[in-house]
Amino acid sequence: MTIDDLATPLLTVDMDIVAANISRLQSYADRHGLRNRPHVKTHKLPLIAHMQMRAGAVGIACQKLSEAEIMASAGIPDIQIVYPVIGRQKARRAASLAGLVRLSIAADSLEVAKGLSHAAASHGTHIDFYVDCDTGWKRTGVQTPADAIALADASHRLPALSFAGLMTYPTSPAVGPWFREVFAGLERIGLSRGVACGGGTPGVLETHNIAEIDEFRAGTYVYGDRSTINNGTGPLESCALRMRTTVVSAPTEDRVIVDAGTKALTTEPPEGSSDERFGYVVEYPDADIFLLEEEHGHIDVSKCASKPSLGETITVIPNNANAAVNMFNTVALHCSTLIQAISPIAARGALE
């Protein structure tokens, strides 16, 4: 069976490109003495997480507790959750998970740390705690180095919990002086600084220029999308994830409609670009996917030297791989054009 035998809209992943992307980033990490902890929210597949681990990753990062549970059940031994696990029910689940894997959780409040500590102590397990630091992105994270030092000290004093390091997103030049101030404060109170972890695919290949970072989390690099093309992380040829969609209508000479709308392609713009297209059409680079409805994708083909015909299948690189993957229950994994598996996206819809 080949990808041409399958109905559209269809999400496909070229496993040869995936393997090359994994090797490329792991080689970079090894060359610079950095710990690579891939973020699995992009692919959501235990199969690919195991490929990343075999290549040399120290563990994986998950965005949600449910993602971590799925990856643990598939045999991934070291998991970091980079999102606050708050509330009794989730804390109990985390404590139970910590009995199966080495578990670390990042958060920016003592409330979360206390909840995790109580649950882990009750379960007889142990959780590593990372202090989430806002180094300029203005999302989650403690606001000052002094806050980070205080939370690290308080978390380390709690039963069944250990301060394990610092976490931030994204990795930027501002991280260096911010983390240095925290390191100095931790040394003054006699606490080991632990692991300093940065994140994000954009700029990941420049992580070695920030000496304070020991470990990085990157997710989108494994599949690629229009954002990775725009930010220079990888060229078009490194995009393993493709959306195959069929021209179902050609109402005018300059406009066609495909069977991939908002239920297949993300409406997010690509990072680092003012381009408002909802994806890149590989076969027709001058085509403009200018409007998405639920089941319809409208494409302006007026600038194309040749134009897609009714019934033709075309290939689209999504703006955001993470969002596109979360639209589908299954993905076609292939080498060249031959289908290797129609794989359930195991952690798809993991919202808690």
Side-chain angles (χ1 to χ4, degrees):
M1 186 185 298
T2 72
I3 53 178
D4 293 325
D5 297 320
L6 300 177
T8 62
L10 173 69
L11 198 64
T12 69
V13 170
D14 187 317
M15 295 303 289
D16 290 328
I17 297 177
V18 165
N21 290 344
I22 290 173
S23 176
R24 176 182 176 225
L25 192 63
Q26 188 62 52
S27 295
Y28 165 78
D30 294 342
R31 188 164 63 251
H32 293 286
L34 292 164
R35 293 160 53 94
N36 176 21
R37 183 180 292 275
H39 204 315
V40 301
K41 70 174 183 178
T42 298
H43 57 73
K44 305 182 187 295
L45 294 178
L47 168 69
I48 294 180
H50 279 292
M51 290 173 64
Q52 292 168 316
M53 292 292 293
R54 287 195 298 270
V58 297
I60 64 167
C62 295
Q63 197 68 17
K64 299 291 185 179
L65 179 58
S66 48
E67 285 180 351
E69 290 168 332
I70 289 166
M71 292 296 164
S73 69
I76 301 297
D78 189 315
I79 299 176
Q80 181 182 75
I81 300 175
V82 290
Y83 197 87
V85 175
I86 193 165
R88 292 180 185 176
Q89 193 260 1
K90 289 185 179 180
R92 287 195 294 266
R93 285 166 55 193
S96 178
L97 182 62
L100 303 175
V101 301
R102 179 175 181 178
L103 181 66
S104 56
I105 296 176
D108 58 4
S109 70
L110 187 56
E111 288 78 7
V112 170
K114 286 180 175 179
L116 294 172
S117 169
H118 178 75
S122 300
H123 280 73
T125 56
H126 182 274
I127 296 173
D128 287 339
F129 185 80
Y130 280 72
V131 175
D132 179 9
C133 303
D134 178 4
T135 56
W137 190 249
K138 300 188 184 303
R139 198 163 65 178
T140 59
V142 295
Q143 294 299 292
T144 68
D147 292 337
I149 295 163
L151 182 54
D153 186 34
S155 66
H156 201 66
R157 297 173 186 274
L158 294 172
L161 207 69
S162 294
F163 168 67
L166 308 176
M167 188 276 288
T168 193
Y169 174 88
T171 305
S172 72
V175 172
W178 212 100
F179 276 14
R180 282 199 302 275
E181 189 172 341
V182 179
F183 296 162
L186 293 175
E187 185 176 5
R188 285 194 300 271
I189 63 175
L191 192 60
S192 170
R193 72 177 186 85
V195 176
C197 187
T201 291
V204 67
L205 298 177
E206 300 299 322
T207 304
H208 65 283
N209 291 321
I210 303 175
E212 292 74 18
I213 295 292
D214 309 308
E215 179 177 296
F216 60 79
R217 308 174 317 281
T220 311
Y221 83 93
V222 75
Y223 276 175
D225 55 18
R226 284 191 69 211
S227 294
T228 62
I229 294 171
N230 289 344
N231 64 40
T233 307
L236 173 66
E237 294 73 24
S238 69
C239 291
L241 182 78
R242 311 283 173 110
M243 180 76 63
R244 289 175 59 79
T245 181
T246 300
V247 177
V248 295
S249 175
T252 73
E253 181 181 356
D254 291 334
R255 180 169 62 93
V256 300
I257 295 175
V258 294
D259 60 358
T262 60
K263 293 180 179 178
L265 288 168
T266 175
T267 57
E268 291 187 33
E271 294 177 2
S273 173
S274 59
D275 189 333
E276 296 181 353
R277 289 184 292 179
F278 294 111
Y280 175 84
V281 182
V282 176
E283 297 87 354
Y284 301 94
D286 293 323
D288 178 3
I289 307 176
F290 67 93
L291 174 65
L292 295 181
E293 299 174 296
E294 288 187 4
E295 312 289 353
H296 300 78
H298 296 249
I299 306 180
D300 180 346
V301 294
S302 60
K303 296 179 182 178
C304 299
S306 61
K307 300 177 182 181
S309 57
L310 187 64
E312 181 178 349
T313 297
I314 61 176
T315 311
V316 177
I317 295 177
N319 288 351
N320 186 306
N322 303 334
V325 167
N326 208 48
M327 301 283 190
F328 284 78
N329 291 321
T330 61
V331 61
L333 309 179
H334 65 95
C335 294
S336 185
T337 61
L338 294 177
I339 298 296
Q340 305 300 305
I342 306 296
S343 175
I345 302 175
R348 187 255 178 187
L351 299 177
E352 56 182 18

